[in-house]
Amino acid sequence: MSQVLEIVQFGMGGVGRALFGLIVQHKAAIRSKLGVELRYRALVDSTSVLRLEQDAALSHQHLLHLWNGLKPAVRERLSRQPGATTKPSDSAVLAHELERLKSEDSGANLVVVDVSGAAAEEMIPVITAALSQGHRAVLANKRPLCGSLHDYKQMVEAAGFGLSRLRYETTVGAALPVISTLRNLANSFDLIEEISGTFSGTLGYLTTRLEEGSLYSEAVAEAKLAGYTEPDPRDDLGGVDVARKALILARTLGYQLELSDVKVTSLYPAYMQEMSLPEFMTRLTDLDKIYLSRSQEAAATGETLRYVATVKEGHCRVGLEQVLKDSQIGRLKGTDNIVVFKTQRYHNQPLVVQGPGAGQELTASGVLADILSFVR
Ligand SMILES: NC(=O)c1ccc[n+]([C@@H]2O[C@H](COP(=O)([O-])OP(=O)(O)OC[C@H]3O[C@@H](n4cnc5c(N)ncnc54)[C@H](OP(=O)(O)O)[C@@H]3O)[C@@H](O)[C@H]2O)c1
């Protein structure tokens, strides 16, 4: 008899749709290979919910039909799918699913999958409620893991010993094995002295272009054109996304930090935050001189600039730093991520995880791996 995992998925954007497609297409193979039946029970976006009742949840035809309407290429809104209704709230969606599960008494386990861009305040209550009732959660969304320390602690306490019912591998470095490596090191009683790395493909690209002699304004414009940045590049250049990743690593290590404790150095001055996007893009040239001279200073001593996150001795910082060109971080070029674990056992030669740290398909594959890690 197969184990049944019922999925309630929050988020139907790029990652959410890629995950839905992956599961629909490989459902039968997952059942025969791993003996687990994955059943979608609800799909949720910012405004709508689509519940898949028992029969539909089991019908491959129905899921394929749905997938045809929701594929990233089609990008039909969830609200346009037959049966979709307006969402009361994320918590109400979950409460309904928990009630249903209780009344069906089928022995199935629920997995809350958060592949949304929702705020911590919206998702923490949902995830904590599911975990408190013995269910499971998988997150690609960093925000719930970066809420207040109080809420974070409640959430992880609800996840059971060793966070056994909570997975969030893809929040740092997408499908790269960063969180699992950290947990394995800590669980095998290695002493983690320092975690450092570059966790942003966008900022990796930018610093590589600076090293190659590009002007800052040109490099940002190129990255935007290539689709590496958020629509507003300030969301990348401000460093908050990297700070969230550093905080997730720090909290996983047991550091009692708030997001505001992470020292973040932005790549643009505060006064530029108020500008319209076109004005910001035009005024980027104001910063060219500063970054050109920083780049030249670094080169003069065999160093280069990288946007580095460091988690060490109870503290976290993220910002532009000079690193040796011939170091692990200095050698990394382009959009790849790198995470360097310096530990008591990996002291002289730190343990390195490196590769593409973003992408909807890659992230979806990491989320699926997290879901399947619950299979007994
Ligand atoms: N893309 C990557 O490479 C990558 C890598 C690692 C982690 N992540 C994380 O994975 C998450 C999804 O990324 P994405 O690229 O798929 O983003 P996206 O395309 O912007 O999709 C975000 C989705 O979240 C939904 N959403 C927003 N608020 C919600 C709420 N309260 N309840 C339910 N759904 C809500 C949005 O709904 P609407 O469509 O209605 O607005 C949308 O469907 C993000 O947290 C991101 O940081 C992404």
Side-chain angles (χ1 to χ4, degrees), residues 10-16 44-47 75 77 87 90 115-118 122-123 140-143 170-171 174 357-360 363:
F10 294 84
M12 286 303 289
V15 175
V44 192
D45 67 10
S46 64
T47 57
R75 202 90 202 209
R77 282 201 63 82
K87 177 179 80 172
D90 292 310
V115 284
S116 76
E122 288 175 292
M123 291 315 297
N141 183 6
K142 292 174 274 298
R143 288 171 179 80
T170 56
T171 55
Q360 296 166 352
T363 307

Side-chain angles (χ1 to χ4, degrees), residues 3 13 30 35 63 74 123 125-126 148 186 197 202 270 280 291 317 319 335 342 353:
Q3 184 182 345
I30 291 169
L63 287 174
V74 180
M123 291 315 297
V126 174
S148 75
T202 314
F280 174 75
Y291 288 108
R317 65 168 194 272
T335 57
K342 188 171 176 191
V353 178

Side-chain angles (χ1 to χ4, degrees), residues 285-300:
T285 49
D286 296 0
L287 307 176
D288 283 346
K289 256 194 187 157
I290 299 170
Y291 288 108
L292 186 63
S293 71
R294 284 199 65 176
S295 202
Q296 285 169 343
E297 263 168 42

Side-chain angles (χ1 to χ4, degrees), residues 72-106:
V74 180
R75 202 90 202 209
E76 188 82 83
R77 282 201 63 82
L78 190 61
S79 57
R80 291 178 58 88
Q81 298 306 311
T85 55
T86 301
K87 177 179 80 172
S89 70
D90 292 310
S91 290
V93 169
L94 181 77
H96 177 99
E97 289 305 318
L98 292 174
E99 268 308 302
R100 175 192 58 73
L101 208 63
K102 226 184 248 169
S103 66
E104 284 176 5
D105 196 22
S106 64

Side-chain angles (χ1 to χ4, degrees), residues 105-363:
D105 196 22
S106 64
N109 277 296
L110 206 70
V111 185
V112 167
V113 174
D114 180 3
V115 284
S116 76
E121 304 77 58
E122 288 175 292
M123 291 315 297
I124 288 178
V126 174
I127 296 157
T128 307
L131 293 171
S132 304
Q133 297 206 23
H135 297 291
R136 288 146 178 75
V138 172
L139 283 62
N141 183 6
K142 292 174 274 298
R143 288 171 179 80
L145 295 161
C146 299
S148 75
L149 197 54
H150 172 269
D151 292 351
Y152 172 80
K153 279 184 179 169
Q154 274 195 339
M155 187 171 71
V156 298
E157 266 165 33
F161 281 118
L163 297 180
S164 55
R165 286 179 283 104
L166 176 64
R167 298 279 186 274
Y168 51 90
E169 183 62 81
T170 56
T171 55
V172 184
L176 296 176
V178 176
I179 304 291
S180 51
T181 300
L182 174 55
R183 286 169 74 158
N184 286 340
L185 290 168
N187 289 343
S188 59
F189 303 99
D190 199 351
L191 191 72
I192 293 143
E193 296 166 352
E194 177 178 327
I195 306 171
S196 58
T198 61
F199 306 160
S200 159
T202 314
L203 301 184
Y205 175 86
L206 180 69
T207 51
T208 304
R209 293 295 291 130
L210 291 178
E211 184 181 328
E212 289 164 352
S214 253
L215 290 175
Y216 179 75
S217 57
E218 287 169 4
V220 175
E222 276 171 25
K224 184 167 169 24
L225 199 67
Y228 294 145
T229 69
E230 293 294 324
D232 184 337
R234 281 172 289 196
D235 292 343
D236 300 292
L237 300 172
V240 175
D241 193 55
V242 177
R244 286 199 185 103
K245 293 175 187 176
L247 181 67
I248 291 171
L249 294 177
R251 285 183 166 179
T252 303
L253 259 180
Y255 291 11
Q256 311 276 308
L257 297 178
E258 300 283 0
L259 186 58
S260 55
D261 294 324
V262 181
K263 189 167 175 285
V264 187
T265 315
S266 168
L267 291 178
Y268 65 91
Y271 72 85
M272 292 181 90
Q273 184 60 41
E274 303 312 317
M275 293 176 179
S276 67
L277 180 56
E279 189 188 359
F280 174 75
M281 292 305 292
T282 313
R283 294 283 299 278
L284 276 174
T285 49
D286 296 0
L287 307 176
D288 283 346
K289 256 194 187 157
I290 299 170
Y291 288 108
L292 186 63
S293 71
R294 284 199 65 176
S295 202
Q296 285 169 343
E297 263 168 42
T301 53
E303 295 185 313
T304 186
L305 298 173
R306 291 288 180 266
Y307 199 84
V308 181
T310 308
V311 178
K312 188 181 178 181
E313 293 168 355
H315 299 282
C316 269
R317 65 168 194 272
V318 303
L320 200 63
E321 292 187 11
Q322 281 186 212
V323 297
L324 280 175
K325 264 191 184 170
D326 195 24
S327 62
Q328 278 138 333
I329 295 178
R331 279 195 298 270
L332 189 79
K333 302 275 188 274
T335 57
D336 275 4
N337 285 192
I338 188 168
V339 186
V340 181
F341 295 94
K342 188 171 176 191
T343 76
Q344 203 166 48
R345 292 181 193 135
Y346 292 95
H347 187 83
N348 293 332
Q349 266 188 295
L351 176 59
V352 174
V353 178
Q354 181 183 334
Q360 296 166 352
E361 303 286 337
L362 278 179
T363 307

